[in-house]
Amino acid sequence: MNARESHPYASRSMTRQPTNRLAGQASPYLLQHAGNPVDWYPWGEEAFEAARARDVPVFLSIGYSTCYWCHVMERESFENEAIAALLNERMVCIKVDREERPDVDEIYMAATVMTNGHGGWPMSVFLDPRTRRPFYCGTYFPPEVREGMGRASFPQIIEGVSRAWREQRANLGEHAATIAAAVSEHLSDAPAASLTSEHVSQAVAQLLRMYDRAQGGFGQAPKFPQPVFIEFLLDARESAADDATGDAIDQAVRGTLDAMMIGGLFDHLAGGFHRYCVDAHWTVPHFEKMLYDNAQLAALYARAALVYGDDGYARTARRVFHWLKHEMTDPATGAFWSAQDAQVDGREGLNYLWTRDAFDHALMPAPGEEDPAGVLARDADTARTVYGLAGAPNFQDPHHPSEPPSYVLRTPARPERLARSLEITPDALRERLDRAHARLMRARSARRQPSTDDKVIMSWNAMMVSALARASMAIGDADALDAAARACGFLLGLPRGESGALPRCVRAGVVSGRAVLEDYAALAQACIDLHRATGQAPWHEHAHEVIDAAARLGLAAQTMHDAPAESEDLFVRGLSTHDGATPSGASMMLHALIDLAQVTGERAHAQRAASLLATISGRLAQSPVGAVNSTRALLRMLRQGDLWEQAGADLAPPPAPPRRAEEVDPVEIYAGVERVGLSASRPAVFTILVKIAQGWHVAAPSLEDAPPDAPPLHPFRVGVINGQGVAAYADYPPPTPFAAPGQAAIPTYSGTFELKVVLEQTGEIKGRPLLAVWYQACSEHECLAPTTVELDIAIDPA
């Protein structure tokens, strides 16, 4: 039985008799609020007309069904009779499901971020009903003033906005016009730029600098999966300038995939990934599960399984599909539901957490069940060790600090390492854990389950179709291909509007919302992936039809827009190129066109891809990592001469590859010894001499602390390669700042200097460890390709 069948989506508001205009909506999020005493309207002209007739501002609340703080604000404010009465008296209130109307969400989120420096959900925005422009933006507001929060209460804000509307209307109008102009500029095209392989190199270098070598992932807490980063690095890996860059990419990719796979981000019992982790070491997740995360991650793990020959990655992808089949698939249509909530009964992660007693009880033999061979006891001991139940709890609910701490299930290492530590085979470990998982899942399934948002979203479903189709090819999963074909057939069969317009959502047979650029791009990509997996021509024909419809609707014609041309209910119609939780619609359309050109051989699709890439070239050039999926499209085009030729004058010709450092190396490195002895109790200490030619420099190791706008370079470092059991440490000298014209200053070394190096034995010495130095030499005018110098120093175990 799936989660939706056993626990229908409901909130406390839905147990009341509907009291407002949301009762007839299809969205579960809107239905959540149908019983609120707030007189909610859905987004539409009726609400704005009512506000104009009453001469009051509009209060726009945007959220989604699995949003924790959306639930909190509903309980505290929207179910509060006094606050609801104040809202109804002073405003016309509109509730929007951001997943149903991403075009509405995007423009008001841009306004919120630009006016506050941050955004989030629930989004709380006050609008001029005549222009739909925002004049006051925020997110969660508490029902009363709270010490330490530094913000007014929601009733105070309502009163203040209402007073300003009555007494300072002209000022509000001017402020709204300023915000609208800023949003329009933010979402409009930047001046065109010449795109070259240098933009790809910049993105690679910046991501490698962002990589957390200690914990995996990119950046610090909170840790998000960011699969678009890894997909890009896997593409870049195929054309890395040298082995050092390729090795660094592999370390970042595998370190991140391993950390997510073994950590609390992954549901080790049911399968599937949670949204993100609140800590730096991937232990405590924000427990909601989103279809779009799992689509991207399943595709990524299946691809990585093929690239690295890693069965653990393949198993992770299959576990995502297991969760998808049993908890997220509509049995009537084969389509996929959108999300599972993070909370149960107002408690974050309650369904997923364990106490030690509950864990042990779930693994005990049932009454009357015998265990003469001790299999169940051995399974329980193994599970307790693997998932950390023998240690201290790792979760304390920050919203309910009086509750006792509990455990999020996570493992300390990959399965093969765990098996070695337990002195059993990986297969034996898997068998023990599979039996333990079955018992734990029976216990967990008996609890109240998180609610499932059972609407079907076009782009998210299409992304999962692509994941299933790609996995069927990468890891040989025939069931995945069948599921992909069935779901895609359902999507293509949904009723369409004029010019082939697709719906955004469907729930219980009722379509809602209008499809945006990402929906058309993702559906086209899904059809192409099914064509590749099946070899059946009708699939790429469907892709052609979907892309043509996007052009007719003004989404991807001469330029791209996120919303269709007939979008009169938006105060601005723009285009986002930023890749966040999902890739931008623009980047998805670029990849669909590139793939369609490849599978059909039609050069018109290549020309269109190049032309559309040129329209966003300015924004890509400004931030190759911010638009990393578009940068990946650029990389793909650079590799294909025919696509590059199609670009004509829109793009710069591909530059010559960067010179390798050995062709003109201004850096000389000399070791003061030829052989060193090393033992666990006696490190080896020696010096190396570094000579850098006049006019050249190398970035210092502290480059990682340089400002974000510093040029992406490979810093000077000393380390050990090839073998195991030896670590190198260097006493680096103080750096000197250097700034090329128009660039931020970075810490560098130049001239001649000595470096004290210490080698320590960290374990059994295996292989042939070599001391290596990494650096990238630069002058004021150019930077050579990164290089690695191996020092001929024999390391003898003492």
Side-chain angles (χ1 to χ4, degrees):
M1 182 173 289
N2 59 58
R4 179 199 176 206
E5 292 171 321
S6 57
H7 297 278
Y9 198 95
S11 73
R12 289 182 296 167
S13 292
M14 290 177 67
T15 63
R16 301 175 180 173
Q17 192 68 21
T19 59
N20 56 50
R21 294 166 179 81
L22 301 182
Q25 296 298 302
S27 159
Y29 176 64
L30 299 187
L31 292 175
Q32 262 185 293
H33 294 269
N36 293 164
V38 177
D39 188 16
W40 293 114
Y41 285 75
W43 178 269
E45 178 56 29
E46 180 186 4
F48 289 98
E49 176 57 35
R52 291 192 293 268
R54 290 177 51 195
D55 194 25
V56 295
V58 166
F59 170 62
L60 173 63
S61 176
I62 302 178
Y64 57 102
S65 67
T66 58
C67 164
Y68 178 82
W69 285 102
C70 299
H71 297 321
V72 172
M73 192 164 179
E74 179 190 17
R75 288 193 295 268
E76 292 180 342
S77 294
F78 302 147
E79 292 181 350
N80 182 300
E81 297 285 349
I83 295 177
L86 183 62
L87 275 171
N88 295 338
E89 177 189 351
R90 305 294 178 87
M91 314 279 163
V92 166
C93 301
I94 298 177
K95 177 63 74 172
V96 168
D97 182 343
R98 68 174 295 260
E99 297 168 353
E100 190 176 57
R101 288 301 303 267
D103 50 348
V104 173
D105 176 71
E106 179 186 37
I107 59 176
Y108 291 108
M109 180 56 73
T112 301
V113 171
M114 296 178 80
T115 56
N116 294 280
H118 60 86
W121 298 274
M123 195 193 322
S124 304
V125 185
F126 295 87
L127 316 179
D128 184 332
R130 299 164 301 178
T131 62
R132 308 193 182 196
R133 294 171 176 171
F135 57 80
Y136 188 86
C137 306
T139 54
Y140 164 79
F141 294 123
E144 68 279 323
V145 177
R146 292 176 180 167
E147 185 177 352
M149 289 196 71
R151 66 179 70 179
S153 71
F154 191 36
Q156 288 174 329
I157 291 170
I158 297 168
E159 294 276 15
V161 167
S162 178
R163 184 168 52 253
W165 179 260
R166 295 191 307 270
E167 299 173 4
Q168 302 175 38
R169 183 81 56 91
N171 291 340
L172 290 184
E174 292 175 3
H175 187 54
T178 300
I179 294 174
V183 171
S184 179
E185 181 179 358
H186 173 71
L187 295 175
S188 62
D189 292 331
S194 294
L195 298 178
T196 72
S197 61
E198 181 60 27
H199 295 100
V200 176
S201 298
Q202 288 175 13
V204 171
Q206 185 174 343
L207 288 176
L208 293 180
R209 285 171 53 193
M210 291 168 59
Y211 172 61
D212 182 346
R213 294 175 177 85
Q215 306 291 349
F218 301 88
Q220 301 304 309
K223 283 285 181 68
F224 288 85
Q226 297 174 306
V228 288
F229 287 175
I230 303 178
E231 290 282 5
F232 168 73
L233 288 175
L234 284 174
D235 275 13
R237 175 183 186 269
E238 299 173 7
S239 56
D242 51 48
D243 291 342
T245 301
D247 291 345
I249 288 173
D250 285 344
Q251 181 183 4
V253 169
R254 303 210 67 177
T256 300
L257 292 178
D258 288 354
M260 295 191 298
M261 178 178 73
I262 69 174
L265 187 76
F266 186 65
D267 183 349
H268 294 272
L269 300 185
F273 287 90
H274 299 292
R275 177 77 272 272
Y276 63 89
C277 282
V278 300
D279 55 274
H281 42 83
W282 302 99
T283 296
V284 178
H286 179 48
F287 290 91
E288 64 185 327
K289 290 183 181 178
M290 309 301 295
L291 184 66
Y292 59 75
D293 282 323
N294 284 279
Q296 294 175 88
L297 288 168
L300 178 59
Y301 275 93
R303 180 183 181 187
L306 182 64
V307 169
Y308 295 109
D310 192 311
D311 184 62
Y313 295 162
R315 181 175 171 82
T316 300
R318 291 190 180 99
R319 293 292 293 161
V320 173
F321 297 145
H322 174 87
W323 164 77
L324 179 76
K325 176 181 178 180
H326 291 280
E327 299 190 30
M328 298 296 289
T329 300
D330 185 338
T333 65
F336 311 120
W337 298 325
S338 60
Q340 288 178 326
D341 210 333
Q343 67 168 4
V344 174
D345 294 336
R347 294 279 303 281
E348 173 89 7
L350 188 61
N351 178 257
Y352 301 99
L353 298 168
W354 294 89
T355 63
R356 190 174 299 168
D357 288 344
F359 190 87
D360 290 344
H361 186 267
L363 295 173
M364 289 174 57
E369 184 180 13
E370 297 182 357
D371 186 26
V375 172
L376 297 181
R378 187 169 59 245
D379 292 347
D381 287 342
T382 299
R384 197 178 296 111
T385 299
V386 166
Y387 291 119
L389 271 291
N394 56 21
F395 179 82
Q396 178 66 63
D397 189 340
H399 311 300
H400 301 86
S402 62
E403 294 292 328
S406 52
Y407 293 86
V408 175
L409 299 189
R410 63 156 295 151
T411 67
R414 286 180 56 99
E416 58 271 22
R417 289 184 57 192
L418 292 171
R420 285 197 299 270
S421 69
L422 295 169
E423 298 182 342
I424 58 177
T425 67
D427 287 344
L429 174 62
R430 187 174 298 116
E431 290 171 3
R432 291 185 189 184
L433 291 180
D434 284 348
R435 289 191 296 265
H437 288 171
R439 288 178 172 270
L440 292 166
M441 270 304 296
R442 280 197 296 271
R444 201 176 89 176
S445 298
R447 305 171 180 174
R448 279 183 54 80
Q449 299 298 300
S451 300
T452 299
D453 187 326
D454 60 356
K455 68 178 177 289
V456 172
I457 299 176
M458 179 66 70
S459 61
W460 300 5
N461 268 250
M463 291 165 68
M464 184 58 82
V465 168
S466 285
L468 290 160
R470 294 174 188 177
S472 73
M473 296 182 283
I475 59 177
D477 192 329
D479 291 341
L481 184 57
D482 292 340
R486 185 184 182 206
C488 197
F490 172 77
L491 299 177
L492 290 168
L494 289 172
R496 303 192 189 188
E498 294 182 8
S499 302
L502 295 167
R504 168 71 177 175
C505 303
V506 59
R507 179 175 182 265
V510 178
V511 298
S512 62
R514 61 188 180 210
V516 294
L517 178 61
E518 71 173 44
D519 296 303
Y520 291 88
L523 183 57
Q525 186 68 62
C527 293
I528 296 166
D529 289 331
L530 276 168
H531 167 76
R532 283 178 163 153
T534 64
Q536 297 172 2
W539 287 118
H540 78 66
E541 294 168 3
H542 286 308
H544 199 297
E545 294 168 1
V546 170
I547 289 175
D548 283 350
R552 289 194 299 272
L553 292 162
L555 292 161
Q558 300 302 314
T559 60
M560 289 186 282
H561 292 89
D562 284 321
E566 301 297 327
S567 299
E568 297 176 356
D569 58 344
L570 304 178
F571 72 85
V572 64
R573 177 171 167 255
L575 175 71
S576 174
T577 56
H578 176 73
D579 301 310
T582 59
S584 69
S587 69
M588 294 167 74
M589 182 58 76
L590 291 173
H591 285 283
L593 287 166
I594 292 170
D595 285 330
L596 192 57
Q598 290 177 342
V599 300
T600 65
E602 296 180 20
R603 298 176 70 84
H605 299 307
Q607 173 64 55
R608 196 164 170 189
S611 177
L612 290 176
L613 179 60
T615 67
I616 63 169
S617 60
R619 281 194 265 179
L620 189 157
Q622 290 173 355
S623 181
V625 168
V628 70
N629 204 43
S630 297
T631 305
R632 186 165 76 92
L634 170 63
L635 172 60
R636 295 181 65 193
M637 294 179 68
L638 286 168
R639 287 179 179 160
Q640 301 174 47
D642 58 336
L643 286 179
W644 190 260
E645 291 168 7
Q646 295 299 316
D650 293 325
L651 303 172
R659 290 181 291 169
R660 292 189 56 81
E662 59 262 29
E663 296 177 10
V664 50
D665 197 340
V667 180
E668 301 174 59
I669 301 175
Y670 303 95
V673 295
E674 296 182 353
R675 182 178 297 272
V676 295
L678 190 63
S679 69
S681 60
R682 189 184 59 162
V685 182
F686 56 93
T687 60
I688 61 175
L689 180 69
V690 181
K691 292 184 176 182
I692 303 174
Q694 186 175 358
W696 292 83
H697 61 267
V698 296
S702 54
L703 177 68
E704 293 180 355
D705 299 324
D709 58 343
L713 298 172
H714 290 254
F716 182 94
R717 284 193 177 278
V718 176
V720 176
I721 60 174
N722 292 346
Q724 299 178 18
V726 179
Y729 306 92
D731 185 11
Y732 296 105
T736 301
F738 174 85
Q743 294 186 346
I746 61 171
T748 65
Y749 297 143
S750 58
T752 300
F753 60 92
E754 287 189 342
L755 203 64
K756 183 170 79 172
V757 177
V758 179
L759 296 183
E760 289 186 356
Q761 183 173 346
T762 59
E764 181 184 356
I765 297 179
K766 297 180 180 180
R768 183 173 177 264
L770 292 173
L771 188 68
V773 180
W774 294 271
Y775 59 86
Q776 184 174 10
C778 296
S779 70
E780 185 174 341
H781 307 290
E782 65 174 325
C783 286
L784 306 183
T787 194
T788 303
V789 172
E790 298 176 2
L791 299 183
D792 189 16
I793 301 175
I795 301 174
D796 300 325

